[in-house]
Amino acid sequence: GNRDFLKDENGNPLYEEVFKDAKVQKAREDNPALRNVSDDDIWESLPESDKDFAKIYLYESQNGNIQVESVTYDTFAEEQKKRGMTDYKQIQKEFVKEQLLPQAQASLGQSRVYEARYHGGLMNIEKIAKDIDTLTELKETLSDDQYRAIALNTLKDYGGRTDILEKMDTDQFLNILKNKQNEEKNEILMGGESGASGRSRAREVIRRIENLDSLENYALHKSRQSMAELGLYAIERTNRMKELRPGDKVKPITITLENIFPEGGYGSHPEELRALVDEGRDELKQALLQQGHDESEAQKLSDQTIKITLDTGHLNMWRKYFKRQDGETKEDTDKRFKQWYTEQVDELAKNGYIGNMHIADNLGWDDSHLAAGQGNAPVREVMEILRRHGYDDVVTSEGGFGRGPGGEFGLQQTWKLAGAHFTNYNGNQLGDDAWTNPGSTRLYSVMEGYGGSAPGGGYFSDIQKPNFIFKGYAPDSEDWRPWSGTGME
């Protein structure tokens, strides 16, 4: 039910100091600007929900027992939703907080018991010391009977039994007080240490409550950090190479996150991957700003350093989760999937997210790495989207580990699907509608002349393959060079 809070004489709520202090310290940790602000001012600025956490509330009891009811997560979640809480991660956090909070309260309750014994021990030991001094003086000045009467009256305050004390020798009375003094010292030590330990445990539990987060948020936070650290290293290595090779055009190192197949978890969906890259870029940008870069330079560096590796085969595997709508034929569903697929690629390419490409094909069920065109992934359309948005980075053919249906290897099949205009060794033209990629055309023409006697043989068969490229055919050092700095032979 509703909680009733403890109030002062003016009707204001009273707060548990340990809980109150935890909220203040958390606010100071989260906001460096509050570093020099007083605890009281920070407390006054906190939202009421934070202050509610520190309120001392009263328990309803019946017959001396606290009445409790077992609550499942589902029941708890429904109650929170009725109260207007819609964020499932926040509901989960509240549920765990409800389980941890009694641990903190139990530790504080125990510490208060021990602290009461500690403070009581301090008062008692002071009184015992005074009584020892008083009885020591009186023993020297009073008769034995007078001293006995006063001593017995004094010892009654410490719970001594009169019938036993009356039979004792008066010389033992001071020893009783001194033994009591030692007991109080032990009580003070135990009370102080146990009380401090209880408060320490309570603070630790409260800190756990304050730092509760969902696995999703935690993973995103760690991913942001990892991308930023790698990004800073990549930028540092790029700048180092520019210093070592002042005459070359050094291509910056880029970190690219690949869209793994749907079952691979978070980031396999293009929208998740784009959001993940944005997180990394933002973290890297903040790190660059701290290093002294200006806003525009930090943004440019972070955008060019963290990008995406788009795998056409992995993206096509979402096909099996694409549900057919009422009244749709299979062809209609395939058409709608193809539209979704190309829209995702267009969004990534248009906004400069793609920094690397893996071209592979499949039938939408497995990552079978078919050669481009052998499956149902819209690879040709992807190539057209990349060309339209000026993509000029790496494209890797990952499909077709064996011969294709026409005797082609995966790379050759990819060029053919792209419509690259080239001929083989005997003059037969492969492909149509030249794709404006001079690199592909030139590279194929370079390979002419390495041939066997069978159609489709030569470099693309297993008859004969060159193990090096002569200097004149090697990529220009201005355009490409390994990170070792060596030329290509």
Side-chain angles (χ1 to χ4, degrees):
N2 295 323
R3 290 176 174 172
D4 186 20
F5 296 98
L6 188 65
K7 299 179 178 63
D8 63 15
E9 65 276 9
N10 298 316
N12 298 316
L14 294 174
Y15 300 100
E16 167 53 59
E17 291 300 321
V18 173
F19 287 14
K20 180 178 176 180
D21 179 63
K23 283 293 182 183
V24 170
Q25 296 309 318
K26 177 66 175 174
R28 185 175 277 117
E29 288 175 10
D30 292 343
N31 188 356
L34 299 176
R35 185 175 301 166
N36 297 320
V37 178
S38 70
D39 288 358
D40 288 341
D41 288 341
I42 293 177
W43 173 253
E44 291 302 322
S45 68
L46 292 179
E48 285 302 316
S49 58
D50 282 355
K51 292 182 179 180
D52 285 344
F53 176 77
K55 286 179 181 177
I56 301 174
Y57 61 86
L58 304 174
Y59 293 92
E60 291 184 5
S61 62
Q62 182 178 347
N63 300 325
N65 296 318
I66 300 296
Q67 302 302 301
V68 297
E69 180 182 355
S70 178
V71 179
T72 65
Y73 171 75
D74 290 339
T75 303
F76 180 85
E78 286 301 318
E79 288 295 324
Q80 298 306 309
K81 289 175 183 176
K82 290 178 183 178
R83 296 175 182 176
M85 188 179 293
T86 57
D87 184 353
Y88 77 94
K89 288 185 286 188
Q90 185 62 30
I91 292 175
Q92 291 172 346
K93 181 176 179 178
E94 289 297 318
F95 184 67
V96 178
K97 186 175 84 172
E98 287 293 326
Q99 297 176 63
L100 291 177
L101 196 56
Q103 297 180 26
Q105 292 167 332
S107 295
L108 282 176
Q110 293 171 6
S111 73
R112 291 191 185 100
V113 171
Y114 285 114
E115 285 169 354
R117 292 167 68 174
Y118 169 78
H119 292 294
L122 289 177
M123 295 175 62
N124 288 339
I125 204 168
E126 184 177 352
K127 181 177 184 301
I128 292 170
K130 290 181 178 178
D131 286 341
I132 289 175
D133 289 342
T134 300
L135 291 182
T136 300
E137 288 184 18
L138 292 177
K139 189 171 178 58
E140 299 295 328
T141 58
L142 298 178
S143 66
D144 192 67
D145 290 339
Q146 291 175 324
Y147 174 74
R148 176 181 288 275
I150 295 175
L152 288 175
N153 191 53
T154 301
L155 292 175
K156 287 178 184 178
D157 294 341
Y158 299 102
R161 289 179 54 181
T162 305
D163 57 333
I164 296 176
L165 292 173
E166 288 177 344
K167 298 176 182 179
M168 296 176 62
D169 189 280
T170 55
D171 292 336
Q172 295 178 317
F173 291 164
L174 284 175
N175 290 332
I176 293 174
L177 286 179
K178 289 177 181 179
N179 289 335
K180 191 66 177 177
Q181 192 177 45
N182 288 331
E183 290 177 10
E184 293 298 335
K185 286 180 181 178
N186 292 332
E187 194 77 9
I188 290 169
L189 288 173
M190 183 181 69
E193 291 168 357
S194 299
S197 175
R199 288 190 177 273
S200 178
R201 288 196 306 272
R203 287 191 178 96
E204 179 58 31
V205 174
I206 294 168
R207 187 167 185 82
R208 288 171 61 191
I209 292 173
E210 291 298 317
N211 292 330
L212 276 174
D213 206 349
S214 67
L215 286 174
E216 181 179 342
N217 287 347
Y218 178 78
L220 280 173
H221 173 68
K222 287 296 182 182
S223 296
R224 281 176 61 104
Q225 288 182 326
S226 295
M227 285 185 278
E229 290 171 8
L230 285 169
L232 290 173
Y233 180 71
I235 292 170
E236 184 272 326
R237 293 301 300 162
T238 298
N239 292 336
R240 179 61 177 157
M241 282 298 172
K242 287 180 179 179
E243 294 174 0
L244 295 175
R245 293 158 46 194
D248 292 342
K249 289 194 299 183
V250 176
K251 182 181 177 181
I253 298 177
T254 303
I255 300 164
T256 59
L257 284 68
E258 183 173 355
N259 63 307
I260 201 66
F261 33 84
E263 298 79 12
Y266 188 88
S268 56
H269 194 287
E271 292 178 6
E272 290 179 344
L273 194 61
R274 187 167 66 242
L276 193 57
V277 168
D278 287 340
E279 292 282 343
R281 286 176 171 179
D282 181 66
E283 189 79 10
L284 178 57
K285 177 183 174 182
Q286 299 306 316
L288 291 169
L289 289 173
Q290 291 181 8
Q291 288 185 351
H293 296 268
D294 60 40
E295 182 83 17
S296 61
E297 183 183 24
Q299 187 68 62
K300 179 181 177 181
L301 280 173
S302 60
D303 288 350
Q304 79 175 23
T305 301
I306 302 178
K307 294 190 177 184
I308 285 172
T309 287
L310 182 65
D311 188 300
T312 58
H314 293 165
L315 186 57
N316 196 52
M317 290 172 65
W318 283 96
R319 183 182 297 270
K320 60 187 172 185
Y321 297 110
F322 213 73
K323 295 182 179 179
R324 187 184 300 185
Q325 295 179 349
D326 292 340
E328 267 191 343
T329 64
K330 182 180 183 305
E331 289 71 23
D332 292 335
T333 306
D334 288 343
K335 183 178 179 181
R336 191 163 53 87
F337 175 78
K338 183 177 179 180
Q339 180 181 353
W340 172 84
Y341 186 116
T342 53
E343 286 176 353
Q344 295 296 320
V345 176
D346 185 77
E347 185 70 20
L348 294 173
K350 177 177 63 179
N351 293 292
Y353 281 95
I354 302 176
N356 187 32
M357 283 296 305
H358 289 172
I359 300 294
D361 211 341
N362 57 51
L363 297 173
W365 293 97
D366 255 331
D367 191 23
S368 48
H369 282 261
L370 300 177
Q374 292 181 337
N376 52 24
V379 178
R380 176 67 183 260
E381 287 81 353
V382 169
M383 294 177 177
E384 291 172 348
I385 291 171
L386 295 177
R387 179 176 60 180
R388 184 169 69 249
H389 291 297
Y391 179 81
D392 63 352
D393 244 310
V394 176
V395 178
T396 302
S397 175
E398 280 197 332
F401 297 131
R403 292 179 181 276
E408 306 92 346
F409 279 97
L411 179 59
Q412 186 181 4
Q413 175 71 6
T414 303
W415 287 345
K416 181 179 179 180
L417 182 69
H421 186 73
F422 50 77
T423 57
N424 65 8
Y425 76 98
N426 59 7
N428 295 326
Q429 181 169 316
L430 301 175
D432 52 16
D433 299 328
W435 187 48
T436 54
N437 186 341
S440 295
T441 305
R442 182 185 67 166
L443 184 56
Y444 189 80
S445 67
V446 167
M447 300 311 170
E448 293 176 8
Y450 296 106
S453 57
Y459 181 72
F460 299 105
S461 76
D462 54 3
I463 298 175
Q464 179 182 351
K465 303 181 181 70
N467 54 18
F468 59 86
I469 303 175
F470 286 103
K471 290 181 181 294
Y473 297 127
D476 297 331
S477 63
E478 284 296 310
D479 297 327
W480 184 91
R481 180 177 286 191
W483 277 93
S484 63
T486 60
M488 186 173 182
E489 291 292 340

